[in-house]
Amino acid sequence: MPSVPDREPRRVRTEPGGPLLVDGPVEVVLDDGVTAVSRRPVVAVCTCRRSRRYPWCDTSHRRRPAARPAPGPRPRGEPVTNPASVSTDPRLPQDRGEVSAAVLGRLAGRSPALPDPATVERCAPYGDDLQLALYALYELHYQGFDGVDDHLEWDPDLLHVRAGLEKRFLTALRADTPGGGGAEETLAELMDEPAGGRGSTSHFLLRKGEMWQLREYAALRSLYHLKEADPQLWVVPRLRGRPKAGMVAVEYDEFGAGRAEDIHARLYADLMDDLGLDASYGAHLDTAPSEMLAIVTMMSLFGLHRALRGALVGHFAAVEVASSPGSARMADALRRCGAGRAAQRFYDEHVEADAVHEQLVRHEVVAPLLADEPHLEDDVVLGVQATGLLEDRLTTHLLTCWDKGQSALLAPG
């Protein structure tokens, strides 16, 4: 008997009713002799044969009451490789009220005055004024703003204002989410899509979206996707053991698995180039309504507070569990409208990536975190439900505007 080479065994994880998770790279020889290759760190291999991306899982094993329309033909062409920077310092935005005007004035060096606690308390928690002020203060921890002193990141007066804004926002999120139930049960609810396939932005764009609507959606989502995975990275030092290792495994993939050209923020910049949009970081802030700002500020709120680490994990799990079907619809919508390959690639990549990430987050992050710190379960549920709440608010805004043939963007100030 020939000797077996002395090498580390390849790890394969099973998911009941779902894919096999195989440590990559992976080659699968198909029935017709063609070899499919994936060089991902972890690969989800379809076992039900329902995947439209077979042999790779696209989460088609889930119950889907309504079939999706068949996509149009894939247009020919090469990915856009415009090297536009995604990390240039953005300019300060236009204010949207008393609180944001004071915060932005302080950042610009125009005025030292800041809003008092009573003024902050009067702000609508989901409104433009509070959300823009909070977004600007959080941005000091990311790329910052052109002409703003980096030392203001830890200015105690600004941090005091930020704390008041955060309290107002977090109180509203807790009041407007139902709570109750366990984390696994709450996540499982996200895996069954509603009958009829209606009520989501991706369904709308797949069925009847036009290129101008796809471009608006891409512009709005750039506030997050050009910093994709950055807010979630704050939680890594707050975890330990298996949850930390699982989170890092997912984040490593989000950051291109060591390849700069595959960082998801880079792929999104290519998508924007393909759609003829300004791909520079923060370019579309002034046109983004509060519904979009709140999604981004929520991630920073959860990520920057150790006490909210459970909520950040819940948010991240909700995104990864729900992402693959919507990403598949977005890729098909872009194909139907004739977008280029770079635009399609971002969402095609997320179909494959998030089929893996869903399993890793549920079984290697959420489950061991709650086994170790069961008191965090309510916050994990908060993170899942708050993500759904704010995404629903954005969807309502988009579809209300688009159904009337109106732009969902704010007019630049």
Side-chain angles (χ1 to χ4, degrees):
M1 178 180 292
S3 62
V4 177
D6 185 16
R7 62 185 182 186
E8 289 296 317
R10 182 64 54 86
R11 182 165 55 170
V12 177
R13 283 156 286 187
T14 62
E15 169 65 14
L20 294 176
L21 298 188
V22 185
D23 286 358
V26 171
E27 292 185 354
V28 177
V29 180
L30 303 177
D31 296 341
D32 58 4
V34 173
T35 299
V37 179
S38 177
R39 303 196 180 281
R40 306 184 61 80
V42 181
V43 179
V45 179
C46 174
T47 58
C48 69
R49 289 189 174 256
R50 292 198 291 270
S51 174
R52 297 176 65 211
R53 298 169 58 86
Y54 187 82
W56 317 126
C57 175
D58 68 354
T59 70
S60 290
H61 56 274
R62 297 182 186 174
R63 287 185 296 163
R64 302 265 172 80
R68 291 187 297 151
R74 179 188 294 264
R76 298 181 180 180
E78 296 301 319
V80 173
T81 56
N82 188 325
S85 172
V86 297
S87 61
T88 53
D89 292 345
R91 61 179 176 81
L92 282 170
Q94 297 291 318
D95 69 80
R96 303 186 190 178
E98 182 180 3
V99 172
S100 57
V103 167
L104 294 169
R106 177 67 168 266
L107 296 182
R110 294 191 301 266
S111 170
L114 287 171
D116 58 44
T119 302
V120 170
E121 187 62 26
R122 289 195 298 270
C123 267
Y126 304 124
D128 281 294
D129 195 22
L130 182 145
Q131 288 300 325
L132 181 63
L134 199 51
Y135 183 101
L137 291 170
Y138 284 146
E139 196 56 42
L140 299 177
H141 300 293
Y142 294 101
Q143 299 294 332
F145 292 101
D146 184 35
V148 173
D149 187 345
D150 287 343
H151 291 94
L152 290 176
E153 178 181 4
W154 299 110
D155 179 88
D157 293 334
L158 289 173
L159 291 175
H160 181 72
V161 172
R162 197 187 88 184
L165 297 169
E166 289 175 331
K167 181 180 178 181
R168 189 90 173 97
F169 186 31
L170 182 60
T171 298
L173 290 175
R174 291 192 185 280
D176 294 338
T177 49
E184 182 59 32
E185 174 189 347
T186 304
L187 286 171
E189 292 173 358
L190 302 180
M191 299 176 68
D192 292 333
E193 297 200 320
R198 298 188 179 276
S200 79
T201 304
S202 62
H203 278 107
F204 175 94
L205 292 172
L206 175 62
R207 292 195 315 273
K208 58 181 180 180
E210 300 176 14
M211 181 56 77
W212 69 271
Q213 293 163 330
L214 286 163
R215 295 178 78 251
E216 286 198 354
Y217 187 69
L220 291 179
R221 284 290 181 184
S222 70
L223 269 66
Y224 166 57
H225 285 307
L226 292 183
K227 59 158 64 82
E228 184 164 352
D230 291 349
Q232 292 83 3
L233 198 59
W234 294 112
V235 82
V236 171
R238 286 84 184 264
L239 303 177
R240 56 181 180 262
R242 280 181 62 197
K244 173 175 280 193
M247 194 74 185
V248 169
V250 177
E251 290 282 86
Y252 176 66
D253 204 11
E254 299 277 358
F255 289 121
R259 296 182 292 274
E261 66 275 14
D262 290 336
I263 292 175
H264 285 185
R266 175 68 265 168
L267 298 183
Y268 200 79
D270 291 342
L271 174 150
M272 297 183 75
D273 288 334
D274 213 343
L275 295 178
L277 296 168
D278 185 347
S280 55
Y281 185 91
H284 302 278
L285 177 54
D286 275 330
T287 64
S290 62
E291 289 84 358
M292 185 65 227
L293 297 182
I295 292 172
V296 183
T297 59
M298 175 195 65
M299 293 186 283
S300 297
L301 169 65
F302 292 163
L304 285 167
H305 291 270
R306 183 179 182 277
L308 294 172
R309 63 193 181 278
L312 189 283
V313 167
H315 149 73
F316 194 50
V319 170
E320 300 303 326
V321 166
S323 175
S324 280
S327 292
R329 288 189 289 272
M330 289 300 302
D332 288 347
L334 288 161
R335 276 190 274 273
R336 181 179 61 78
C337 290
R341 289 190 181 276
Q344 299 165 34
R345 184 191 175 199
F346 175 83
Y347 286 108
D348 281 334
E349 159 68 14
H350 278 68
V351 175
E352 184 176 335
D354 292 342
V356 176
H357 297 172
E358 170 202 320
Q359 307 299 330
L360 291 179
V361 171
R362 288 173 57 214
H363 301 302
E364 298 298 325
V365 181
V366 174
L369 174 68
L370 295 182
D372 189 37
E373 300 186 87
H375 61 281
L376 294 179
E377 185 150 27
D378 286 347
D379 275 353
V380 172
V381 172
L382 169 66
V384 175
Q385 294 179 347
T387 300
L389 169 73
L390 297 184
E391 289 288 350
D392 287 347
R393 293 183 79 254
L394 177 62
T395 295
T396 298
H397 170 75
L398 292 173
L399 299 190
T400 298
C401 292
W402 291 345
D403 281 339
K404 297 175 182 177
Q406 300 172 353
S407 172
L409 304 182
L410 299 182

